[in-house]
Amino acid sequence: VKVYGLNLGDMSNESHWSRYGGDLDNFVEVCRRSGMPIQTYTAIGNHEHDMAAQDIFDDDDTAAELEYMKVFGPTYYSFNIGKQHFVVLDNVIMTTIDGKLVKNEYTYGLTDKQWNWLKNDLSFVDKSTTLMVASHIPMFRKDSAETEYQSQSAHGSDYANLLAQYRNVHAWAGHTHRSFNYNYPSNNALKNIEVHTLARSTGEFWTNEYNAYGTPRGYTIVEVDGDNISWTVKPTTYQK
């Protein structure tokens, strides 16, 4: 059985590594020392954006992503495993004023540059393909409050309309500190999209063992058999 890892962001906190340096490297070193023989893909979170960065390039927030890119590589990319096409996106857009980044302020969505890349990438993928789309911030339904992130996101309606054309889409995200799964109803234009939002594997900083809404800290194992996908949540303390 082949095993792969998918990290949905916020592996660290920019208040540490932008001030003291090296924390992103330390994360990789800890994973290496653990002996995990797993090829892991990562999505950039809001806490991997360098709040000390000043300038902006190409009318986006690339400057805030340079430290992340030195360790993990590009902030959005795609690849194929088996029958699935994976797309990892950066849907954190740092706020800028007068050409400077504003600390701790960001919006959601895709920059024009990333949206054009996504359109081009998926133009080579047959509509019958199952897509696995990963981002740090949820791209669709947030939680039971019925918040739809695509309606608040840059190019949200664009990517929603594009992804809805595919036979089956699994949208994976983190950010909210809670676990949430959602299937759009059959009369919804997004009926082929299934939303998976995962809670933090480390728990909340202030309650440790549990995340918001009482979800115990842990991780999710996703089993893939052709186009069939199933998953199991594995709490780190309460194993079943």
Side-chain angles (χ1 to χ4, degrees):
V1 177
K2 293 185 177 180
V3 180
Y4 301 87
L6 180 59
N7 191 312
L8 296 170
D10 281 2
M11 297 163 278
S12 182
N13 190 297
E14 78 290 340
S15 65
H16 290 76
W17 56 261
S18 62
R19 182 180 305 172
Y20 306 114
D23 209 38
L24 290 174
D25 294 296
N26 289 341
F27 176 86
V28 175
E29 176 61 18
V30 168
C31 291
R32 187 193 66 80
R33 292 203 311 266
S34 73
M36 292 190 299
I38 299 175
Q39 181 174 342
T40 300
Y41 299 89
T42 63
I44 187 172
N46 53 291
H47 287 298
E48 275 83 56
H49 283 73
D50 184 3
M51 299 300 175
Q54 294 296 314
D55 299 321
I56 59 174
F57 310 122
D58 300 326
D59 198 30
D60 61 21
D61 56 3
T62 304
E65 300 166 345
L66 291 178
E67 294 301 318
Y68 173 92
M69 294 170 71
K70 290 178 184 177
V71 178
F72 295 103
T75 60
Y76 54 92
Y77 54 95
S78 68
F79 54 93
N80 295 321
I81 299 179
K83 293 184 177 181
Q84 277 77 47
H85 183 68
F86 287 72
V87 181
V88 179
L89 297 171
D90 169 16
N91 62 342
V92 180
I93 303 176
M94 301 301 298
T95 301
T96 60
I97 296 179
D98 297 329
K100 303 293 183 182
L101 293 168
V102 181
K103 185 174 182 180
N104 293 327
E105 291 190 17
Y106 55 88
T107 56
Y108 320 127
L110 308 180
T111 61
D112 293 343
K113 182 178 179 181
Q114 188 176 179
W115 163 239
N116 288 326
W117 172 87
L118 179 62
K119 286 190 296 182
N120 183 65
D121 179 79
L122 292 183
S123 70
F124 297 97
V125 180
D126 191 90
K127 296 296 194 298
S128 64
T129 305
T130 294
L131 300 183
M132 305 283 268
V133 182
S135 61
H136 176 62
I137 298 173
M139 296 176 64
F140 295 98
R141 179 66 65 97
K142 175 185 175 183
D143 54 26
S144 55
E146 300 186 1
T147 301
E148 295 283 357
Y149 266 15
Q150 72 271 23
S151 64
Q152 307 172 12
S153 300
H155 288 294
S157 60
D158 293 329
Y159 69 64
N161 292 334
L162 177 58
L163 294 176
Q165 299 175 32
Y166 285 81
R167 185 180 70 84
N168 199 5
V169 178
H170 292 266
W172 302 88
H175 188 62
T176 67
H177 296 210
R178 62 192 64 177
S179 293
F180 177 71
N181 288 280
Y182 183 75
N183 291 86
Y184 285 95
S186 59
N187 61 349
N188 191 293
L190 305 180
K191 61 182 179 296
N192 297 331
I193 297 175
E194 188 162 355
V195 176
H196 310 275
T197 304
L198 309 186
R200 293 173 55 92
S201 60
T202 56
E204 300 284 20
F205 292 133
W206 51 92
T207 58
N208 192 27
E209 200 60 56
Y210 296 93
N211 289 276
Y213 288 11
T215 305
R217 63 188 177 98
Y219 53 95
T220 298
I221 296 176
V222 181
E223 296 188 67
V224 179
D225 181 9
D227 285 318
N228 298 318
I229 297 171
S230 60
W231 61 93
T232 304
V233 176
K234 301 289 285 187
T236 54
T237 299
Y238 309 102
Q239 280 295 313
K240 192 170 184 180

